[in-house]
Structure formats: structure tokens, C-alpha cells
Amino acid sequence: MVESAPRAFVCGHPIRHSRSPLIHGFWLRELDLAGSYEAVDVQQKNFAGFVSELGIRGWAGGNVTLPHKEQAFSLVARRDAAAEAIGAVNTLWFENDQLIGGNTDAYGFAANLDAGARAWRDAETAVVLGAGGAARAVIHALQDAGIADIHVVNRTRERATELADLFGEGIRAHGSPELTDLLKSCHLLVNTTSLGMSGQPPLEIHLDPLPEGAVVTDIVYAPLETPLLEAARGRGLAAVDGLGMLLYQAVPGFERWFGTRPQVTAALREHIVADLEAAT
Ligand code: ATR
């Protein structure tokens, strides 16, 4: 029997803004592998049907993005530990004909910081801004890295409390007015809100209270240099942009579908940056 080249997808709604086809297409060409990766627009009402037919339609698996990550969680036969902790699935693949769901966002977050500011792993206290889906992945990564003291600060305090209850020991919830005080002992500051993104209001925050040696990172990558990162660099602090999280989170899925672990290189980054610049 001739094995056909693996086909993988990213599905969401809308999907045309997704950079995942660019990332995986770059790796397929660079590694000279037979295979394809395409964007598929799937409306919410059609998602369960799409997932149930993956095998018979010949997909090796794929990525799941908004608004399907929670539904994917409930549709798979089994989930990896990260997906279980985060409550959402962003990567699908088959094992022994069973559909498995994983979440690679926490891995992507940690790998990006490892590459950009390794000192983050020494942080004892972290402050996470925001309490949405992205915050869940970040909190899981911080817990996994052994950061003992994690403060979640959110406009809507109740959502921060929900996350603190969910993730348990070491997580504390706060409303925005508490932020300035928290920054005084914060070694790692993470923005997971959409504030600072092109077209969104800026994140209003003064970084003066942060201690020397603090690391600041933003999951926003459009613009690459958000006002938050600019302010951090202005204070001489290590600042890591969010594009690397997008690039690194793609690594485990590519390896599952196409059998080779790809590298996040400067050339890949330049390829995606060129696309981001063309879009502005
Ligand atoms: P995601 O899944 O991408 O994390 P989300 O669930 O919509 O997205 O969460 C967005 C986060 O950005 C939330 O923490 C939200 O705060 P609320 O829970 O109070 O809505 C935060 N956010 C969005 N716009 C904001 C704004 N203008 N001011 C403060 N926080 C904002």
C-alpha cells in the first residue's frame, strides 16, 4: 500500500487571519517533506460533524482555534495533561485510530520565554494580566515551571477568582486597582489581555514599581513591539514579544502530523514578520 502524504489543517471561524498555514508551509518547504497544511473555515454548528469525519476524510490532524477550542476538548477520545489543565484543545492527532486532543499554548509560552529571557524560570512571583483563555495557558505554564506565587489581575475580578479556584494553590485573584502594589514584588509580568493590540485601547500601566531584573512579556504580537514592551525596554528590563509563542506552539503539532520536529529559527520569524508588516 502506498502511504499518501499527511494532510493537516487549522480550523476556526473566521480563519483567514490565521498565520498557521504560513508557519507550517515554511517548515514543509524547508524540511522538504511531502505533506500539506491548509486553513479550513468551519462554523460552530458544523464543528462536531467536521471532527467526526476527520479520519474518513484523510486528515492526519490539525489545529483548532477560536471559537472551537472548548468544543474540541469535549469531542476527543483522550486529552493530554496540558489540555486537561487548561480546559481547551488546540491540536488534534490520531493514536491507534483514536482522536487525541492536546494543548500546546503553554509549551509555546514557556519555550518563547526560554529563548528570550531564560531568567523567567527563576521568578518566584508572577503577575498575569487578564483571565481569559490565554491566561489559562499561561498560568498552567507558570505552575509547570514551579513559580510558587502567581497573581491574576483582571478588570472583572470574578473571572480572576474563577481561575484561582480552578488552578488551586499558589494562585491569587485581584482586581485592577491592586496592580500597582503587586508590581513591587513581581519578577515576571505577563499581559494576556488584548489591550495594546492594533485597533484595541492601550494597556494603561506604569512599570516604575517593577524590581530590577524583572521580565516582561506580552502575548500580543501585532504590533510586535507593544507599548508595554517598549516601556519595559525603556526601563532596561528584559522584554519578550508574543510572536515566539505563536511559532513555538506550532512545533509539537507539526512533529505529530509530519514526523519531524521543526526548529523555530530567525528565518521563520522573518517570514512571519514580513507577513505581519504587509498586513499593516
Ligand atoms: P482570550 O481567550 O484571548 O484570553 P477573552 O476570554 O476574551 O480572550 O479574555 C480577554 C481578557 O482581556 C479578559 O481578561 C478581559 O477582561 P474581562 O474579563 O474583564 O472582560 C481583558 N480585557 C479585554 N478588554 C479589556 C479592557 N478594555 N480593559 C481591561 N481588560 C480587558
mmCIF file of all heavy atoms in Angstrom, residues 182-208:
data_model
loop_
_atom_site.group_PDB
_atom_site.id
_atom_site.type_symbol
_atom_site.label_atom_id
_atom_site.label_comp_id
_atom_site.label_asym_id
_atom_site.label_seq_id
_atom_site.Cartn_x
_atom_site.Cartn_y
_atom_site.Cartn_z
ATOM 1 N N LEU A 182 1.141 45.162 43.547
ATOM 2 C CA LEU A 182 1.642 43.828 43.194
ATOM 3 C C LEU A 182 2.936 43.911 42.379
ATOM 4 O O LEU A 182 3.798 43.030 42.477
ATOM 5 C CB LEU A 182 0.593 43.067 42.370
ATOM 6 C CG LEU A 182 -0.635 42.596 43.141
ATOM 7 C CD1 LEU A 182 -1.729 42.141 42.176
ATOM 8 C CD2 LEU A 182 -0.250 41.443 44.077
ATOM 9 N N LEU A 183 3.062 44.970 41.587
ATOM 10 C CA LEU A 183 4.240 45.080 40.716
ATOM 11 C C LEU A 183 5.539 45.186 41.526
ATOM 12 O O LEU A 183 6.602 44.787 41.052
ATOM 13 C CB LEU A 183 4.113 46.290 39.783
ATOM 14 C CG LEU A 183 3.047 46.184 38.685
ATOM 15 C CD1 LEU A 183 3.077 47.430 37.800
ATOM 16 C CD2 LEU A 183 3.234 44.934 37.825
ATOM 17 N N LYS A 184 5.444 45.684 42.761
ATOM 18 C CA LYS A 184 6.658 45.906 43.569
ATOM 19 C C LYS A 184 7.453 44.621 43.805
ATOM 20 O O LYS A 184 8.658 44.653 43.968
ATOM 21 C CB LYS A 184 6.277 46.526 44.924
ATOM 22 C CG LYS A 184 5.779 47.949 44.802
ATOM 23 C CD LYS A 184 5.331 48.478 46.163
ATOM 24 C CE LYS A 184 4.521 49.754 45.981
ATOM 25 N NZ LYS A 184 3.626 50.006 47.133
ATOM 26 N N SER A 185 6.757 43.504 43.853
ATOM 27 C CA SER A 185 7.488 42.248 44.099
ATOM 28 C C SER A 185 7.285 41.265 42.951
ATOM 29 O O SER A 185 7.318 40.057 43.143
ATOM 30 C CB SER A 185 7.017 41.630 45.415
ATOM 31 O OG SER A 185 5.609 41.487 45.376
ATOM 32 N N CYS A 186 7.093 41.808 41.764
ATOM 33 C CA CYS A 186 6.807 40.946 40.605
ATOM 34 C C CYS A 186 8.079 40.714 39.776
ATOM 35 O O CYS A 186 8.708 41.651 39.312
ATOM 36 C CB CYS A 186 5.727 41.650 39.759
ATOM 37 S SG CYS A 186 5.513 40.950 38.120
ATOM 38 N N HIS A 187 8.446 39.437 39.596
ATOM 39 C CA HIS A 187 9.644 39.123 38.793
ATOM 40 C C HIS A 187 9.294 38.829 37.348
ATOM 41 O O HIS A 187 10.162 38.824 36.486
ATOM 42 C CB HIS A 187 10.356 37.898 39.379
ATOM 43 C CG HIS A 187 10.653 38.026 40.825
ATOM 44 N ND1 HIS A 187 10.123 37.189 41.783
ATOM 45 C CD2 HIS A 187 11.396 38.940 41.493
ATOM 46 C CE1 HIS A 187 10.540 37.560 42.974
ATOM 47 N NE2 HIS A 187 11.307 38.621 42.829
ATOM 48 N N LEU A 188 8.024 38.524 37.113
ATOM 49 C CA LEU A 188 7.596 38.206 35.738
ATOM 50 C C LEU A 188 6.202 38.770 35.537
ATOM 51 O O LEU A 188 5.265 38.414 36.255
ATOM 52 C CB LEU A 188 7.571 36.679 35.537
ATOM 53 C CG LEU A 188 6.981 36.181 34.210
ATOM 54 C CD1 LEU A 188 7.836 36.646 33.033
ATOM 55 C CD2 LEU A 188 6.879 34.656 34.210
ATOM 56 N N LEU A 189 6.083 39.668 34.553
ATOM 57 C CA LEU A 189 4.789 40.290 34.249
ATOM 58 C C LEU A 189 4.341 39.833 32.863
ATOM 59 O O LEU A 189 5.093 39.953 31.892
ATOM 60 C CB LEU A 189 4.932 41.823 34.271
ATOM 61 C CG LEU A 189 3.692 42.624 33.848
ATOM 62 C CD1 LEU A 189 2.537 42.415 34.833
ATOM 63 C CD2 LEU A 189 4.035 44.116 33.748
ATOM 64 N N VAL A 190 3.113 39.291 32.788
ATOM 65 C CA VAL A 190 2.611 38.750 31.525
ATOM 66 C C VAL A 190 1.296 39.427 31.165
ATOM 67 O O VAL A 190 0.334 39.373 31.955
ATOM 68 C CB VAL A 190 2.325 37.225 31.651
ATOM 69 C CG1 VAL A 190 1.971 36.641 30.285
ATOM 70 C CG2 VAL A 190 3.493 36.485 32.267
ATOM 71 N N ASN A 191 1.225 40.022 29.990
ATOM 72 C CA ASN A 191 -0.068 40.531 29.526
ATOM 73 C C ASN A 191 -0.751 39.482 28.659
ATOM 74 O O ASN A 191 -0.232 39.085 27.619
ATOM 75 C CB ASN A 191 0.090 41.805 28.695
ATOM 76 C CG ASN A 191 -1.260 42.257 28.144
ATOM 77 O OD1 ASN A 191 -2.271 42.225 28.855
ATOM 78 N ND2 ASN A 191 -1.301 42.636 26.879
ATOM 79 N N THR A 192 -1.919 39.015 29.096
ATOM 80 C CA THR A 192 -2.697 38.072 28.270
ATOM 81 C C THR A 192 -3.976 38.732 27.757
ATOM 82 O O THR A 192 -4.810 38.054 27.165
ATOM 83 C CB THR A 192 -3.083 36.795 29.053
ATOM 84 O OG1 THR A 192 -4.166 37.094 29.948
ATOM 85 C CG2 THR A 192 -1.918 36.217 29.825
ATOM 86 N N THR A 193 -4.149 40.026 28.033
ATOM 87 C CA THR A 193 -5.351 40.703 27.517
ATOM 88 C C THR A 193 -5.081 41.159 26.083
ATOM 89 O O THR A 193 -3.948 41.127 25.612
ATOM 90 C CB THR A 193 -5.721 41.947 28.357
ATOM 91 O OG1 THR A 193 -4.795 42.999 28.060
ATOM 92 C CG2 THR A 193 -5.714 41.658 29.841
ATOM 93 N N SER A 194 -6.125 41.602 25.436
ATOM 94 C CA SER A 194 -5.962 42.092 24.061
ATOM 95 C C SER A 194 -5.567 43.569 24.041
ATOM 96 O O SER A 194 -5.393 44.150 22.977
ATOM 97 C CB SER A 194 -7.268 41.890 23.305
ATOM 98 O OG SER A 194 -8.344 42.366 24.089
ATOM 99 N N LEU A 195 -5.392 44.166 25.213
ATOM 100 C CA LEU A 195 -5.032 45.584 25.266
ATOM 101 C C LEU A 195 -3.621 45.778 24.717
ATOM 102 O O LEU A 195 -2.707 45.015 25.042
ATOM 103 C CB LEU A 195 -5.113 46.092 26.708
ATOM 104 C CG LEU A 195 -6.528 46.038 27.310
ATOM 105 C CD1 LEU A 195 -6.492 46.406 28.783
ATOM 106 C CD2 LEU A 195 -7.468 46.960 26.555
ATOM 107 N N GLY A 196 -3.468 46.787 23.864
ATOM 108 C CA GLY A 196 -2.165 47.030 23.231
ATOM 109 C C GLY A 196 -2.097 46.478 21.825
ATOM 110 O O GLY A 196 -1.203 46.808 21.042
ATOM 111 N N MET A 197 -3.066 45.606 21.495
ATOM 112 C CA MET A 197 -3.132 45.051 20.136
ATOM 113 C C MET A 197 -3.588 46.152 19.176
ATOM 114 O O MET A 197 -4.344 47.036 19.582
ATOM 115 C CB MET A 197 -4.143 43.904 20.140
ATOM 116 C CG MET A 197 -4.133 43.035 18.906
ATOM 117 S SD MET A 197 -5.501 41.841 18.985
ATOM 118 C CE MET A 197 -4.916 40.705 20.208
ATOM 119 N N SER A 198 -3.158 46.079 17.919
ATOM 120 C CA SER A 198 -3.590 47.065 16.929
ATOM 121 C C SER A 198 -5.111 47.135 16.934
ATOM 122 O O SER A 198 -5.780 46.093 16.898
ATOM 123 C CB SER A 198 -3.137 46.658 15.529
ATOM 124 O OG SER A 198 -1.820 46.243 15.538
ATOM 125 N N GLY A 199 -5.632 48.344 17.014
ATOM 126 C CA GLY A 199 -7.081 48.512 16.980
ATOM 127 C C GLY A 199 -7.747 48.433 18.344
ATOM 128 O O GLY A 199 -8.950 48.661 18.470
ATOM 129 N N GLN A 200 -6.980 48.075 19.382
ATOM 130 C CA GLN A 200 -7.520 47.987 20.756
ATOM 131 C C GLN A 200 -6.951 49.135 21.579
ATOM 132 O O GLN A 200 -5.900 49.684 21.236
ATOM 133 C CB GLN A 200 -7.112 46.660 21.412
ATOM 134 C CG GLN A 200 -7.596 45.427 20.692
ATOM 135 C CD GLN A 200 -9.098 45.235 20.826
ATOM 136 O OE1 GLN A 200 -9.664 45.523 21.856
ATOM 137 N NE2 GLN A 200 -9.725 44.757 19.760
ATOM 138 N N PRO A 201 -7.601 49.463 22.699
ATOM 139 C CA PRO A 201 -7.030 50.502 23.558
ATOM 140 C C PRO A 201 -5.674 50.054 24.112
ATOM 141 O O PRO A 201 -5.414 48.850 24.199
ATOM 142 C CB PRO A 201 -8.048 50.624 24.714
ATOM 143 C CG PRO A 201 -9.236 49.830 24.312
ATOM 144 C CD PRO A 201 -8.843 48.889 23.236
ATOM 145 N N PRO A 202 -4.810 51.012 24.490
ATOM 146 C CA PRO A 202 -3.522 50.613 25.080
ATOM 147 C C PRO A 202 -3.711 50.062 26.496
ATOM 148 O O PRO A 202 -4.731 50.304 27.130
ATOM 149 C CB PRO A 202 -2.730 51.922 25.107
ATOM 150 C CG PRO A 202 -3.767 52.993 25.117
ATOM 151 C CD PRO A 202 -4.970 52.454 24.395
ATOM 152 N N LEU A 203 -2.741 49.306 26.940
ATOM 153 C CA LEU A 203 -2.734 48.822 28.322
ATOM 154 C C LEU A 203 -2.186 49.956 29.184
ATOM 155 O O LEU A 203 -1.050 50.373 29.007
ATOM 156 C CB LEU A 203 -1.830 47.588 28.396
ATOM 157 C CG LEU A 203 -1.622 46.915 29.723
ATOM 158 C CD1 LEU A 203 -2.917 46.341 30.256
ATOM 159 C CD2 LEU A 203 -0.603 45.788 29.563
ATOM 160 N N GLU A 204 -3.014 50.475 30.081
ATOM 161 C CA GLU A 204 -2.581 51.599 30.932
ATOM 162 C C GLU A 204 -1.869 51.038 32.151
ATOM 163 O O GLU A 204 -2.523 50.539 33.066
ATOM 164 C CB GLU A 204 -3.797 52.429 31.388
ATOM 165 C CG GLU A 204 -4.700 52.940 30.282
ATOM 166 C CD GLU A 204 -4.152 54.197 29.601
ATOM 167 O OE1 GLU A 204 -3.105 54.694 30.055
ATOM 168 O OE2 GLU A 204 -4.786 54.660 28.628
ATOM 169 N N ILE A 205 -0.561 51.106 32.151
ATOM 170 C CA ILE A 205 0.177 50.547 33.284
ATOM 171 C C ILE A 205 1.511 51.289 33.420
ATOM 172 O O ILE A 205 2.140 51.606 32.410
ATOM 173 C CB ILE A 205 0.399 49.027 33.071
ATOM 174 C CG1 ILE A 205 1.147 48.400 34.229
ATOM 175 C CG2 ILE A 205 1.069 48.713 31.768
ATOM 176 C CD1 ILE A 205 1.209 46.878 34.145
ATOM 177 N N HIS A 206 1.907 51.553 34.665
ATOM 178 C CA HIS A 206 3.200 52.188 34.911
ATOM 179 C C HIS A 206 4.130 51.145 35.491
ATOM 180 O O HIS A 206 3.827 50.542 36.527
ATOM 181 C CB HIS A 206 3.044 53.377 35.853
ATOM 182 C CG HIS A 206 2.290 54.493 35.203
ATOM 183 N ND1 HIS A 206 2.855 55.271 34.223
ATOM 184 C CD2 HIS A 206 1.014 54.918 35.327
ATOM 185 C CE1 HIS A 206 1.960 56.146 33.797
ATOM 186 N NE2 HIS A 206 0.827 55.943 34.434
ATOM 187 N N LEU A 207 5.248 50.961 34.821
ATOM 188 C CA LEU A 207 6.137 49.871 35.219
ATOM 189 C C LEU A 207 7.153 50.286 36.272
ATOM 190 O O LEU A 207 7.952 49.454 36.698
ATOM 191 C CB LEU A 207 6.865 49.326 33.976
ATOM 192 C CG LEU A 207 5.963 48.746 32.885
ATOM 193 C CD1 LEU A 207 6.797 48.122 31.772
ATOM 194 C CD2 LEU A 207 5.007 47.699 33.456
ATOM 195 N N ASP A 208 7.109 51.540 36.718
ATOM 196 C CA ASP A 208 8.114 52.020 37.686
ATOM 197 C C ASP A 208 8.272 51.112 38.914
ATOM 198 O O ASP A 208 9.395 50.893 39.366
ATOM 199 C CB ASP A 208 7.770 53.450 38.169
ATOM 200 C CG ASP A 208 7.745 54.426 37.012
ATOM 201 O OD1 ASP A 208 8.097 54.002 35.892
ATOM 202 O OD2 ASP A 208 7.362 55.585 37.208
#
